[in-house]
Amino acid sequence: TSKKNLTQRIVIANNDIVYLWWTFPKKIANCLGFTIHRIVDGIEETKGLYATVGFSLKDDPRKSPQTTDEWPIQSYNWKDLYAPHNKKVAYRIIPMIAKNNDWMNLTADKKQSIKTDSIIRTQNYGGLKIIFNRGLLSTQAFARKDNANLDEKDLIKGTKGLISKPGNIWRKRLAGQMLYNINEFFKQKGKFYCALYELSDTELIGILEKSKGAEIILSSSDSNEESRKILHDAMDKGKLNVYDRIMSSNSIGHNKFVVLVDNKGKPKSVLTGSTNWTSTGLCGQTNNLVIIDNEDVAKLFLNYWHKLYEDTTDDGAALQDKTLRKWCRDNGTDFSINKSTDLGVWFSPNTDKKTKPKNITAAAIPVDLKEVFDLIKAAKKQILYLLFNPGSPSIIDHVLDAAQNAKSKGKPIFVRGAVSDAQMAKKVTTNIISKDATLPPDKYQVTGVAAIPGSFSYWEKELLKLGFATIHDKVLVIDPFDAKNCVVVTGSHNLGLKASYSNDENMILIKGDNPIAKAYSAHILDVVNHFKWRYKLQERLKGKKGKALEESLTNSWHDLDESDKWMDYYYKSNGDLKREQLFFK
């Protein structure tokens, strides 16, 4: 915050994007938006960032994309997808002024410009690597690819072909740095112990085949039929060992981790996260990958691998017996990763019973989720999350309670989230509105997923998903700007009770690492804001088809406003900036 002009600005980053939020204390007269100039290692670029939506498509002769100098941003947040990696990057945010609403002749008001702090776009965080993919198919870049005119059935088939083919440009773009990091992980010398839920990606299967003696526990997912045959053939040739782990109908072997053990038999590193080893997991869902270079953590994960191995019968049936459950319950552990970072680790199943009871008492809360629920209860300023479908009860119930408690104390907290399950998203947002009366209503604080359902103005019809999940992350962030008390929860665990009772899972809690908490926040806000408008649009267009849909789409969208009236929404008494102020605190 600048005391001089009472402006605010935040810049946060991860390996994938740099994310900016800012405010001004009042409406700027004749401002048609903001241009953003990137500053790399102290040198300011002469042009603004890319922009793809402009003024009147009918009257503006300029084609998409332009820069924010020509097509300014009529918002108070933006993301930079093209910032260089591992360099100090800052941004200058400049109001663009138009006299007499002449949007073809904008003037940069440099006197009112604000500059952010510097940030580094990186995946490296002192013993931890944090990697996010770009697995969103509902984007304009993807909508405009060569086969965009196919009907939905053929489009899905064509898209699956694109993202499954090693070396394909769209596979590389959507997977981001995940493929590179998995390849690099397996280039290390040693032996690899894997516990995998889904394995069907050709390139990843090939990596395992070449890994010289990998030990693989492969769960009983339907998608593993072909990979199981390939790996068993490789085992017959002496290349690796694969152990089937066939789960009961109520359970899934949901892990996605690999432990590296060096040639001296010492555990060295762990690769885990939410990403299934499928083309869709890499490229068609939002996911995260975590690499932990810590011998103690690697040793614990290796012990868990052996417990899973011991818990499997000779014919591949998973027992999930009392021995495994007690071990998981007793071996939740905190590790010191560096001077500021603690890493908590939990494994599942960790309850006495194999299924959650109908009536949930305090005693029925699993040990891993009890810690998470307590952390949510202690949240002071912000709670952010992305979920696939955690079931009920889950962290969502406790986020609602935390919001209510904070409101009753006159200290409301900032809540943002997105879930793949549309009905769950609707229920959550309704509850937040009814409970958090201290803030202006925003029925999209927690959003579901949606895609643009037709073509209009600058927009093309989008593909939403290839399968069940769009958001596949299992991520919770608490108080990301609190250097001491910030927490990130991630891993394979869906953050609901069923996962702890019934599944093979791992959960990690990264505590006190401010840069990592901000990196996860950037990812969450990116996904939430991507879907928020699309979800609103979907709600508005329900039941409309054909010409009625086309007309409604056209009426629901306005190109860039040709006056400063676009700012009115933000500065009215129940405007969005009032809610966003909580994010800055």
Side-chain angles (χ1 to χ4, degrees):
T1 301
S2 168
K3 292 182 180 180
K4 182 178 180 181
N5 57 14
L6 298 178
T7 58
Q8 296 175 300
R9 76 295 309 262
I10 284 178
V11 57
I12 51 181
N14 53 43
N15 73 294
D16 184 46
I17 63 166
V18 180
Y19 205 90
L20 299 99
W21 280 40
W22 65 93
T23 67
F24 281 80
K26 61 182 181 179
K27 179 178 175 178
I28 301 171
N30 301 316
C31 176
L32 299 196
F34 302 95
T35 187
I36 301 178
H37 285 218
R38 191 188 297 127
I39 303 168
V40 181
D41 289 337
I43 300 175
E44 184 169 337
E45 296 177 354
T46 57
K47 293 184 178 180
L49 302 183
Y50 279 118
T52 56
V53 174
F55 294 98
S56 169
L57 187 64
K58 178 181 177 182
D59 299 329
D60 193 340
R62 298 168 295 193
K63 301 297 181 183
S64 181
Q66 293 293 319
T67 75
T68 53
D69 295 341
E70 294 81 30
W71 291 349
I73 299 157
Q74 293 185 345
S75 175
Y76 287 85
N77 61 76
W78 199 248
K79 63 181 178 181
D80 184 3
L81 295 171
Y82 305 103
H85 289 266
N86 300 314
K87 292 187 176 183
K88 288 186 176 181
V89 181
Y91 295 85
R92 191 175 305 282
I93 301 163
I94 311 169
M96 299 299 287
I97 307 302
K99 293 182 178 179
N100 300 318
N101 299 333
D102 184 3
W103 46 268
M104 285 291 288
N105 294 289
L106 297 168
T107 302
D109 186 355
K110 295 183 179 180
K111 289 184 178 180
Q112 292 200 73
S113 70
I114 56 177
K115 181 183 174 184
T116 71
D117 294 332
S118 293
I119 196 79
I120 297 176
R121 180 186 177 190
T122 186
Q123 64 177 19
N124 299 308
Y125 296 90
L128 295 169
K129 290 186 179 71
I130 309 295
I131 303 107
F132 302 97
N133 69 349
R134 288 187 179 176
L136 290 173
L137 300 174
S138 55
T139 66
Q140 287 300 290
F142 195 67
R144 289 181 170 89
K145 69 187 190 320
D146 292 340
N147 61 349
N149 293 321
L150 297 174
D151 63 31
E152 186 171 5
K153 184 177 179 181
D154 288 337
L155 179 56
I156 289 174
K157 182 179 179 181
T159 298
K160 286 182 176 178
L162 289 178
I163 66 174
S164 300
K165 186 177 180 180
N168 180 271
I169 185 64
W170 280 105
R171 176 177 168 86
K172 290 180 178 179
R173 288 184 184 180
L174 292 166
Q177 292 179 301
M178 281 191 174
L179 281 167
Y180 170 81
N181 277 282
I182 294 172
N183 271 287
E184 289 299 302
F185 190 86
F186 277 87
K187 286 179 182 178
Q188 298 175 94
K189 293 181 179 180
K191 196 166 187 175
F192 300 92
Y193 291 78
C194 315
L196 301 175
Y197 173 47
E198 289 187 311
L199 173 64
S200 61
D201 184 79
T202 303
E203 185 175 350
L204 298 186
I205 293 170
I207 290 173
L208 292 174
E209 286 186 281
K210 296 174 184 177
S211 62
K212 297 181 180 179
E215 302 278 341
I216 305 164
I217 293 175
L218 186 61
S219 188
S220 50
S221 169
D222 292 340
S223 66
N224 294 342
E225 184 176 351
E226 184 63 30
S227 61
R228 199 179 303 280
K229 292 178 182 177
I230 294 171
L231 293 179
H232 275 281
D233 287 344
M235 183 169 68
D236 292 341
K237 296 173 184 177
K239 293 183 178 181
L240 49 77
N241 289 312
V242 58
Y243 311 101
D244 297 328
R245 184 162 167 81
I246 310 304
M247 312 299 292
S248 69
S249 59
N250 186 55
S251 305
I252 55 176
H254 201 226
N255 285 299
K256 318 102 172 31
F257 73 81
V258 183
V259 180
L260 167 65
V261 177
D262 69 16
N263 288 331
K264 296 180 180 180
K266 183 178 289 188
K268 301 293 289 185
S269 186
V270 178
L271 182 154
T272 186
S274 67
T275 310
N276 283 317
W277 286 40
T278 66
S279 302
T280 304
L282 289 167
C283 307
Q285 304 165 342
T286 69
N287 273 308
N288 66 93
L289 196 70
V290 183
I291 298 175
I292 308 163
D293 293 322
N294 182 281
E295 293 179 5
D296 293 330
V297 176
K299 182 179 179 181
L300 184 63
F301 268 84
L302 182 62
N303 289 342
Y304 176 52
W305 187 96
H306 282 290
K307 292 299 178 184
L308 294 173
Y309 172 82
E310 293 164 5
D311 182 71
T312 311
T313 65
D314 290 342
D315 60 359
L319 299 173
Q320 290 196 327
D321 67 8
K322 291 182 179 180
T323 302
L324 173 64
R325 290 171 175 274
K326 185 177 187 304
W327 186 90
C328 291
R329 186 165 58 249
D330 293 346
N331 283 274
T333 310
D334 275 1
F335 299 93
S336 179
I337 301 297
N338 53 50
K339 290 182 179 179
S340 63
T341 308
D342 287 335
L343 185 83
V345 180
W346 287 104
F347 300 108
S348 303
N350 55 45
T351 57
D352 286 332
K353 296 182 178 180
K354 290 190 176 184
T355 56
K356 66 178 182 179
K358 291 183 179 179
N359 298 317
I360 305 298
T361 63
I365 303 298
V367 289
D368 49 359
L369 286 175
K370 183 181 185 307
E371 180 177 4
V372 175
F373 294 165
D374 287 345
L375 289 167
I376 292 171
K377 186 177 181 180
K380 292 180 173 60
K381 294 183 178 180
Q382 301 98 3
I383 301 176
L384 305 97
Y385 59 87
L386 295 176
L387 298 172
F388 168 44
N389 187 349
S392 181
S394 72
I395 65 164
I396 289 177
D397 305 277
H398 291 264
V399 170
L400 292 173
D401 289 342
Q404 172 70 3
N405 291 335
K407 182 211 74 168
S408 67
K409 296 175 183 177
K411 296 180 179 180
I413 56 178
F414 178 91
V415 176
R416 284 293 184 277
V419 293
S420 277
D421 188 302
Q423 293 303 314
M424 183 174 287
K426 192 169 185 178
K427 179 181 177 182
V428 174
T429 53
T430 300
N431 286 338
I432 288 179
I433 292 168
S434 63
K435 288 187 174 186
D436 197 353
T438 60
L439 286 177
D442 178 4
K443 64 183 294 188
Y444 302 101
Q445 288 186 65
V446 177
T447 181
V449 300
I452 293 171
S455 300
F456 61 100
S457 187
Y458 288 90
W459 302 89
E460 300 291 339
K461 182 179 179 180
E462 297 174 341
L463 174 66
L464 177 60
K465 59 184 178 180
L466 296 176
F468 293 107
T470 305
I471 297 167
H472 193 256
D473 289 288
K474 304 94 171 50
V475 175
L476 168 70
V477 179
I478 298 169
D479 293 335
F481 301 105
D482 187 327
K484 183 179 179 181
N485 297 310
C486 58
V487 181
V488 172
V489 182
T490 188
S492 71
H493 197 293
N494 275 320
L495 302 180
L497 263 67
K498 185 183 185 301
S500 296
Y501 272 85
S502 303
N503 299 344
D504 297 346
E505 303 277 11
N506 68 88
M507 178 197 294
I508 60 174
L509 297 88
I510 306 167
K511 308 170 186 177
D513 195 307
N514 208 215
I516 288 179
K518 291 177 181 178
Y520 273 91
S521 296
H523 177 62
I524 293 170
L525 291 169
D526 179 26
V527 174
V528 169
N529 286 336
H530 176 86
F531 281 121
K532 187 174 181 179
W533 175 64
R534 289 166 169 81
Y535 188 59
K536 284 182 180 180
L537 195 61
Q538 175 183 267
E539 293 285 297
R540 195 178 299 151
L541 300 173
K542 274 185 178 177
K544 296 183 179 179
K545 297 180 181 179
K547 192 169 184 179
L549 176 62
E550 292 179 17
E551 290 177 356
S552 294
L553 280 168
T554 302
N555 294 333
S556 296
W557 167 256
H558 300 285
D559 301 328
L560 289 183
D561 200 320
E562 298 174 17
S563 74
D564 62 16
K565 290 182 180 180
W566 71 271
M567 303 180 86
D568 294 345
Y569 163 75
Y570 290 94
Y571 288 97
K572 62 185 181 181
S573 59
N574 64 340
D576 208 39
L577 280 184
K578 186 174 181 181
R579 285 184 294 271
E580 291 183 6
Q581 295 293 323
L582 291 176
F583 183 57
F584 292 92
K585 290 183 178 179

